[in-house]
Amino acid sequence: IATAHIGVALYAIGLPLEISMYRSGHSREAIYLMAGSALMLVIAPVMAMKIQFSPWFNHNDISHCVIAATMLIFCKSAQTGLSQGKI
């Protein structure tokens, strides 16, 4: 159920907003947001194939590492927007 919520929040609502933000001014914030959203797409095949590196580092751990990396990209977007006075 969490995967469905991520899909709705990021791709059904967030991605159209990011694309319109990029089209309106080619902002770096929108590029960071779209890159973070694209990175989140890595989670789907990892979860579907239940990829694991060891019994102690399974698909859930990998997906959380990807989510952490995505959050860093989203924070960079916010930082860029704040430094340019757009947020």
Side-chain angles (χ1 to χ4, degrees), residues 9 24 27-28 37 49 59 64 68-69 77:
S24 69
S27 66
R28 288 179 50 195
S37 296
M49 293 185 287
H59 58 282
H64 282 99
S77 174

Side-chain angles (χ1 to χ4, degrees), residues 21-77:
M21 193 167 99
Y22 178 74
R23 286 183 180 170
S24 69
H26 297 283
S27 66
R28 288 179 50 195
E29 304 87 44
I31 293 170
Y32 285 128
L33 289 173
M34 286 188 283
S37 296
L39 183 59
M40 289 291 279
L41 290 174
V42 172
I43 294 174
V46 168
M47 294 299 279
M49 293 185 287
K50 297 190 187 294
I51 296 173
Q52 63 181 20
F53 296 126
S54 75
W56 298 281
F57 197 79
N58 63 12
H59 58 282
N60 291 321
D61 302 317
I62 295 169
S63 68
H64 282 99
C65 289
V66 172
I67 291 169
T70 301
M71 290 299 111
L72 290 174
I73 294 171
F74 287 161
C75 287
K76 179 66 176 173
S77 174

